[in-house]
Amino acid sequence: MSTEELTLGQAQELRRGTVVLACLALLRAPQYGYALLVTLNDAGVTADGNTLYPLLRRLEKQGLLTSEWNTEEARPRKFYQVSPEGSRVLAGLVREWQELVTSISRLVKESG
């Protein structure tokens, strides 16, 4: 395997856990699945439907998201939004993320 292939694989692993944080952050305002997928990918948080839709259902089942069907348009869409519990979890994840970035930045600086 080339260095580039190894790096891409490890980067994918690194990003995998960030999708939950990104979804909770973006869903402070209601969005439907496909629009969320486009927003994530446009922001550089790579995700596909086979990852995102099961994740949304899992977060909803855990009580971190609420959902509501919008049937006013020709095509019904399920809109997701962070629940109050999801907002509290988001705040904790943001703190964890910031601490992790600080720690990793320090390690990289020290070893570089």
Side-chain angles (χ1 to χ4, degrees):
M1 227 184 236
S2 71
T3 302
E4 184 177 332
E5 289 170 324
L6 287 168
T7 301
L8 287 173
Q10 293 302 318
Q12 184 178 9
E13 288 296 319
L14 184 62
R15 286 189 198 105
R16 190 166 281 143
T18 62
V19 175
V20 170
L21 174 59
C23 284
L24 291 175
L26 288 171
L27 290 172
R28 289 178 281 191
Q31 287 193 54
Y32 62 95
Y34 183 75
L36 178 62
L37 187 63
V38 169
T39 303
L40 287 168
N41 285 308
D42 286 351
V45 180
T46 307
D48 63 28
N50 293 328
T51 300
L52 182 64
Y53 295 112
L55 173 66
L56 292 173
R57 287 191 295 274
R58 180 172 57 85
L59 294 175
E60 184 178 21
K61 187 175 181 179
Q62 292 172 338
L64 303 180
L65 298 179
T66 60
S67 67
E68 186 174 304
W69 283 97
N70 178 340
T71 57
E72 294 174 8
E73 296 183 26
R75 185 175 186 183
R77 292 184 169 144
K78 190 173 188 178
F79 280 76
Y80 293 90
Q81 186 168 10
V82 172
S83 68
E85 180 68 10
S87 292
R88 290 187 288 276
V89 169
L90 173 60
L93 290 175
V94 168
R95 280 192 305 276
E96 288 290 327
W97 174 259
Q98 290 168 338
E99 290 172 11
L100 185 59
V101 166
T102 299
S103 297
I104 296 296
S105 295
R106 185 174 47 248
L107 289 173
V108 170
K109 187 176 182 181
E110 290 172 1
S111 68

